[in-house]
């Protein structure tokens, strides 16, 4: 299946969203990753990196599944594409404000997702302690459904892509963008936390995401009017 430049651009943007949101990832998932790393039994410590990587493969697989489901939904509501893009852009701007500490309104999304998480959390406890990669993979897949405003923001952007493969690839790219920070948190959480808590770095990443949100909004509020709102051929046909 050929992938056009706009889809590749969306995937790159999603990857950058994951990468630039490392501060939020570390706050939400760094503690979990550190705890899972510390909880690896002594007899499994030799397989530490294998288990840490398995956690993250499971987590990213869940994100990708969410993306495919979003694409299925979007395919059935194509007339709402401008609305979906508007929603995605607004959520990206809200995430940037959240990262910079300028506005915390995005937390209401996380409270909504907690309803699903309460049902999944007991399943995760049954997989502990983790001794083998398949256990870590399943636990990571459950972890992917942890209520997170960043994930929901990326999912809204995936929804705006409009088809199954583009949406699934968007969430895969987003997950890969979060991988360096979350994986590193399993072995060097304190050093990474100090780096990402620097005010200047957080503001830079927040502004990058806000600009990305404005770029996403533009076709819905300004740039897209020309191609959709006025059809000269249609006007000409009305005169006959």
């Amino acid at each position: 299946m050929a992938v056009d430049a706009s889809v590749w651009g969306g995937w790159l943007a999603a990857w950058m969203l994951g990468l630039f949101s490392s501060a939020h990832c570390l706050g939400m998932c760094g503690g979990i990753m550190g705890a899972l790393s510390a909880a690896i039994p002594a007899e499994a410590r030799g397989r530490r990196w294998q288990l840490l990587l398995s956690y993250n493969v499971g987590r990213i697989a869940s994100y990708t599944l969410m993306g495919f489901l979003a694409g299925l939904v979007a395919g059935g509501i194509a007339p709402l594409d401008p609305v979906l893009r508007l929603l995605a852009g607004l959520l990206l701007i809200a995430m940037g404000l959240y990262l910079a500490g300028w506005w915390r309104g995005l937390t209401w999304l996380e409270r909504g997702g907690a309803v699903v998480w309460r049902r999944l959390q007991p399943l995760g406890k049954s997989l502990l302690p983790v001794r083998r990669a398949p256990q870590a993979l399943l636990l990571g897949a459950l972890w992917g459904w942890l209520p997170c405003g960043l994930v929901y923001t990326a999912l809204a952007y995936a929804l705006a892509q409009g088809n199954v493969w583009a949406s699934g690839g968007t969430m895969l790219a987003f997950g890969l963008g979060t991988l360096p920070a979350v994986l590193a948190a399993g072995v060097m959480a304190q050093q990474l936390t100090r780096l990402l808590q620097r005010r200047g770095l957080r503001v830079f990443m927040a502004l990058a995401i806000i600009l990305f949100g404005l770029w996403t909004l533009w076709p819905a509020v300004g740039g897209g009017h020309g191609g959709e709102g006025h059809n000269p051929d249609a006007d000409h046909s009305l005169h006959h």
Side-chain angles (χ1 to χ4, degrees):
M1 181 186 67
V3 179
D4 63 34
S6 64
V7 173
W8 281 111
W11 290 349
L12 177 61
W15 179 80
M16 291 177 66
L17 171 64
L19 188 67
F20 285 162
S21 302
S22 295
H24 183 269
C25 287
L26 197 62
M28 283 291 294
C29 298
I32 297 173
M33 195 64 178
L36 290 174
S37 178
I40 295 174
E43 65 271 20
R45 290 294 168 88
R47 300 191 300 276
R48 185 185 192 190
W49 276 105
Q50 180 188 24
L51 295 178
L52 294 179
L53 188 59
S54 296
Y55 289 135
N56 283 281
V57 168
R59 177 177 65 86
I60 295 171
S62 285
Y63 294 165
T64 306
L65 174 61
M66 293 179 198
F68 281 129
L69 294 175
L72 284 173
V73 171
I77 53 175
L80 294 180
D81 280 353
V83 176
L84 296 177
R85 181 167 283 274
L86 183 67
L87 174 64
L90 290 174
L91 284 175
L92 285 164
I93 293 170
M95 175 52 64
L97 296 173
Y98 181 80
L99 278 178
W102 296 330
W103 185 62
R104 297 283 180 177
L106 210 57
T107 55
W108 65 269
L109 273 178
E110 295 173 357
R111 288 197 294 270
V115 176
V116 176
W117 180 243
R118 280 196 294 270
R119 296 182 180 276
L120 294 176
Q121 193 173 18
L123 298 176
K125 290 180 180 178
S126 68
L127 295 168
L128 297 172
V130 176
R131 293 185 172 86
R132 298 182 301 278
Q135 282 178 285
L137 192 67
L138 287 173
L139 189 57
L142 290 173
W143 173 15
W145 297 89
L146 181 74
C148 174
L150 173 60
V151 174
Y152 301 151
T153 300
L155 194 58
Y157 183 65
L159 192 65
Q161 303 310 301
N163 71 74
V164 172
W165 295 107
S167 299
T170 294
M171 289 304 288
L172 172 61
F174 162 75
L176 292 174
T178 67
L179 182 61
V182 178
L183 188 59
V187 292
M188 48 182 293
Q190 291 184 346
Q191 299 93 318
L192 198 58
T193 299
R194 282 197 295 269
L195 173 64
L196 293 176
Q197 290 303 318
R198 291 181 179 175
R199 180 67 181 166
L201 181 59
R202 287 179 67 93
V203 169
F204 169 77
M205 292 189 294
L207 290 175
I209 292 173
I210 289 171
L211 287 173
F212 176 36
L214 292 172
W215 173 75
T216 302
L217 278 177
W218 175 244
V221 299
H225 292 327
E228 295 177 2
H230 182 69
N231 186 340
D233 291 335
D235 286 350
H236 178 74
S237 67
L238 289 176
H239 293 294
H240 296 278

